[in-house]
Amino acid sequence: MSKPDRRPARPLFSSGPCAKRPGWSPAALTDAWTGRSHRAAGGKAKLAGVIERSRAILGIPDDYRIGIVPASDTGAVEMALWSLLGPRGVDLLTWESFGEGWVTDVAKQLKLDDIRTLRADYGDLPDLTRVDPSRDAVFTWNGTTSGVRVPNGDWIAGKRGGLTICDATSAVFAMDIPWDKIDVATWSWQKVLGGEGGHGMIVLSPRAVARLESYSPPWPMPKIFRLTKGGKLIEGIFKGETINTPSMLCVEDALDGLNWAAEIGGLPALIARSRGNLAVLEGWVEATPWIEFLARDPATRSSTSICLRLTDTGALSGEEAAAAPKRIAALLDEEGVAYDIAAYRDAPPGLRIWGGATVEADDLKALLPWLEWAYAQVCTGLAPAQ
C-alpha cells in the first residue's frame, strides 16, 4: 500500500496536553499579566475571568463555587478527597487507570474503613445501579485511558445523603454535565480547550461547602489542600485569590481558549465538534474489519479520548501482536501525520486518538488512510520490528 498523498494539517491528537484551538499562536498571550503580582487588581481580574467565563460556558449554577487550584486535575481531585471524605462510607467507581488511582489513594493513603470498590475491566462500566445514594461516590465522568464514559447522570439520585465527587477532566467542554447531580467536579486546562498543564479547577456545590464547614478531617492537611480556615470556607479561593502562585501565561492561554469557545457558540458548539470527531472515527471503524472501539457499549463511547483496539494483527502473534499498535503509532509519528496516539501505558494495547473540540474533523479524515497504511506496514511484516 502506497503512502497517502494528503496529510493532516495539524497532526496533534494527544490526549493531554491536547491540541491548541484552531488558529492559535503565541500572539494570543500578548496581554498576559507577566512581571506583575497575581494578587494585584489586574492579576485577580484575569483569574476571576477564568472562573466566571468557565461558569458561563458550562452553565454552572450561581450558588456553586469555582476555584483555580494547584497541580492540575490531579491536585483538584486530591484536594476534594482529602478535604471531604470520612464522615460517610464511600463508593469508589473504577474502570480505568485514573479511577484506579483514586481507589489507591482513598484506601492506602487516607486508609478509610468503609469503602466499596465497584470495578469493571477496560471497555466496560461497573454496575451503576449499585451506587448507594447514602454514601459518598467518587468516579470519573469520562475514562481518559479507556475511552469509556458514563452515558448520563440518570444513575445519580437527586435526593442523596452522600456527596458525588467527579473527576471530569476529559469531559467538561465536550459533554453535558448535569450539575444538579454533581457536588464536586474537577478538571484541568490542558484537555478539551487545549490549555497548558499545571493548574486545576474545582467546583463545589452548596452541599459540598456545608460538608467542608462542618467536618474536620483527622489527618494533617497540606497547605495546598486547605479550603477552610477556622471552620469557614476560604471564599477568596473562589474569587481568583489562588492558594499558590499561578502562571499568568497559562492564565492568559486559558482565557484565550474560553474566548474561542464563546465565539464559536459556547458549549453546544464544543459538544457538536467533539461528537462530530467521534462520528468520523465511528464511520471508519464500522467499515474497517481489523479494528474496534475499546468501549463495548456505543452509549459509553467517549467523544474525546477515543480508544481503539486491533481485532486482527495479520501474521503477527504473541508479543509481536501486542506490540503492533505501538509500532503503528511510532510509524505515524515518524511520518509526522499523528503524534502521541499510542494507548496509555496501563491500558490494553491499542490506539488512543483525541477527539476534543480543538481537533478538526478534516484532520481526522486525513489521518484515516494513514492508519490503514501503517497497519499494512506493521501487520503484513513490511515494517521492521522495533
Side-chain angles (χ1 to χ4, degrees), residues 8-91:
R10 293 198 309 161
L12 307 175
F13 304 109
S14 164
S15 292
C18 302
K20 311 298 285 184
R21 63 157 174 89
W24 183 93
S25 78
L29 308 180
T30 300
D31 292 332
W33 188 259
T34 54
R36 295 288 308 276
S37 171
H38 63 292
R39 303 192 188 282
K44 286 183 182 179
K46 294 277 190 181
L47 291 157
V50 172
I51 291 171
E52 292 312 316
R53 291 178 207 186
S54 297
R55 184 189 302 279
I57 291 171
L58 295 173
I60 298 173
D62 290 341
D63 59 349
Y64 279 48
R65 272 50 165 224
I66 307 173
I68 300 168
V69 299
S72 199
D73 178 63
T74 301
V77 174
E78 295 287 6
M79 175 180 283
L81 301 182
W82 284 68
S83 299
L84 291 164
L85 294 185
R88 291 175 178 261
V90 186
D91 286 349

Side-chain angles (χ1 to χ4, degrees), residues 126-158:
D127 183 355
L128 301 178
T129 65
R130 293 184 58 202
V131 175
D132 184 344
S134 70
R135 300 164 64 84
D136 294 336
V138 179
F139 65 100
T140 56
W141 192 272
N142 180 80
T144 310
T145 66
S146 71
V148 175
R149 53 162 290 178
V150 295
N152 50 54
D154 294 351
W155 54 280
I156 303 173

Side-chain angles (χ1 to χ4, degrees), residues 108-275:
K108 295 185 178 180
Q109 302 301 322
L110 299 182
K111 299 180 180 178
L112 298 183
D113 295 324
D114 189 1
I115 295 172
R116 291 197 313 162
T117 301
L118 309 181
R119 185 178 276 112
D121 292 333
Y122 277 85
D124 291 317
L125 279 178
D127 183 355
L128 301 178
T129 65
R130 293 184 58 202
V131 175
D132 184 344
S134 70
R135 300 164 64 84
D136 294 336
V138 179
F139 65 100
T140 56
W141 192 272
N142 180 80
T144 310
T145 66
S146 71
V148 175
R149 53 162 290 178
V150 295
N152 50 54
D154 294 351
W155 54 280
I156 303 173
K159 294 182 179 179
R160 56 191 180 275
L163 299 179
T164 52
I165 300 174
C166 176
D167 173 357
T169 194
S170 57
V172 288
F173 300 107
M175 303 173 192
D176 281 312
I177 306 294
W179 295 106
D180 61 320
K181 300 293 186 74
I182 303 298
D183 292 302
V184 180
T186 66
W187 69 88
S188 66
W189 296 344
Q190 62 166 320
K191 294 292 187 182
V192 178
L193 294 187
E196 293 301 303
H199 300 75
M201 301 290 288
I202 190 166
V203 174
L204 303 175
S205 74
R207 298 179 70 248
V209 173
R211 170 78 66 85
L212 284 167
E213 293 186 336
S214 63
Y215 167 65
S216 181
W219 41 77
M221 187 69 67
K223 177 181 178 181
I224 62 170
F225 288 175
R226 294 177 199 157
L227 292 168
T228 61
K229 183 176 182 180
K232 293 294 182 181
L233 191 72
I234 303 173
E235 293 285 0
I237 294 173
F238 307 95
K239 298 176 182 178
E241 298 171 15
T242 53
I243 294 171
N244 69 338
T245 306
S247 163
M248 299 308 291
L249 283 171
C250 292
V251 169
E252 194 68 23
D253 191 58
L255 286 169
D256 176 72
L258 290 162
N259 289 339
W260 169 77
E263 288 167 4
I264 67 169
L267 185 61
L270 296 170
I271 292 173
R273 285 177 64 90
S274 186
R275 287 179 177 173

